[in-house]
Every structure is written in structure tokens, then in C-alpha cells.
Amino acid sequence: MATPQHVFARFASTVSEWAGKPAIFVFALATVIVWAVSGPFFDYSETWQLVINTGTTIVTFLMVFVLQNAQTRDTRAIQAKLDELILTSRAENRFIGIENLDEEALEHMDRLVAKAAKEKGSTEAGSVSETGGRKGRRSPGSKRAAPSKARKQK
């Protein structure tokens, strides 16, 4: 039996997919146009204004949670795929889990990658770790670490 989390995840994915379609945008635009055109018939009353304000506020409030759930799951899936690519390639394992670093540490890693890319571009050498070595790399014949163990090394 599906748990409430699974039901909500399926719901969030479906709504997220549905909300991004051009037809839904056209529907929302048409709703606003109909509301604006109906203004003179309601003498631009407070109730007329309250209808669009309340409707858009409720839809926005609920969509924040639905879209955030879908985006978080998509981000986690992409991160797991990237981690797997790191583990199965010659990339440095120290990059696994960097999404959990604070802003300053991420900026530092960004500078290191930019420096290594610049050096690689001019010398065609491999990326350089902070210590100047090739830290965290496996030899071509070595087995890769199990994903669950490697991902915990943050």
C-alpha cells in the first residue's frame, strides 16, 4: 500500500508537470483577462478585487509546497546520478556531498575547480587538489567504493 509520502510525491510530480504546460499558462491568462473584463460589471468593487487576490494567493501558497517537493526530489535524483558518475570515473571523490557545504566552502571548491581547469587547459594535466597531488583518485585497476559508503564520506 502506498504511504502518504508516496501519494504526495506522485501528486506533486503530476501537478508540477501539469502546471508547466503552455495550456495551463493560457488558462491562467484567460482567467485574469476574464476577471479584468468583468471589472466594469462589478463597478471594480472590493469583492471583485478580493476574488482575484484570494484566488491567486491560495493557488500560489499551495503551489509553493507542491513545486518545492517535486524540485527537491529531482535535485536529489540528479545529485545521486552525479555522485555515481564521480564514483565510476577518474574524478576526485572529495566532490561527493559538496552540496551540503556552506557558501564559503562551496566558493573555495569553485575556485579550486576553476584553477584546475585553467591549468588543465594550458598543460593538459589532470586536476590538482589543494595539496597539489591527485588526492581521492583511484588507480585504473582499483575497485570503486560502494555508493552508500562513499556518499556518507562528506
Side-chain angles (χ1 to χ4, degrees):
M1 182 171 194
T3 64
Q5 290 87 357
H6 288 106
V7 172
F8 184 73
R10 278 198 315 259
F11 171 76
S13 291
T14 302
V15 170
S16 178
E17 224 174 277
W18 175 77
K21 295 190 182 288
I24 300 305
F25 172 78
V26 170
F27 173 75
L29 182 62
T31 302
V32 171
I33 291 170
V34 167
W35 170 81
V37 169
S38 70
F41 299 108
F42 294 99
D43 288 329
Y44 300 103
S45 68
E46 287 185 21
T47 303
W48 174 80
Q49 293 176 33
L50 191 61
V51 166
I52 198 73
N53 289 340
T54 304
T56 56
T57 300
I58 290 170
V59 169
T60 301
F61 180 75
L62 295 176
M63 288 299 286
V64 164
F65 298 104
V66 169
L67 295 176
Q68 185 62 48
N69 178 274
Q71 183 180 8
T72 299
R73 282 183 297 99
D74 287 347
T75 300
R76 285 183 181 157
I78 290 169
Q79 195 59 54
K81 291 174 186 178
L82 289 172
D83 287 351
E84 183 66 12
L85 288 172
I86 290 169
L87 287 169
T88 59
S89 71
R90 295 189 58 197
E92 295 185 23
N93 289 342
R94 69 185 171 132
F95 287 98
I96 293 176
I98 66 170
E99 68 276 7
N100 297 315
L101 296 176
D102 63 19
E103 191 64 30
E104 185 177 312
L106 276 174
E107 287 175 7
H108 177 69
M109 292 295 282
D110 209 22
R111 286 191 301 274
L112 288 174
V113 171
K115 179 182 175 187
K118 186 176 180 181
E119 289 174 3
K120 184 175 182 175
S122 63
T123 64
E124 290 300 316
S127 68
V128 179
S129 70
E130 291 172 292
T131 60
R134 297 183 82 147
K135 192 175 184 180
R137 301 228 177 172
R138 296 180 310 276
S139 62
S142 68
K143 292 185 178 183
R144 71 180 195 134
S148 61
K149 290 180 184 176
R151 286 191 180 106
K152 289 180 183 176
Q153 297 173 357
K154 291 183 181 176

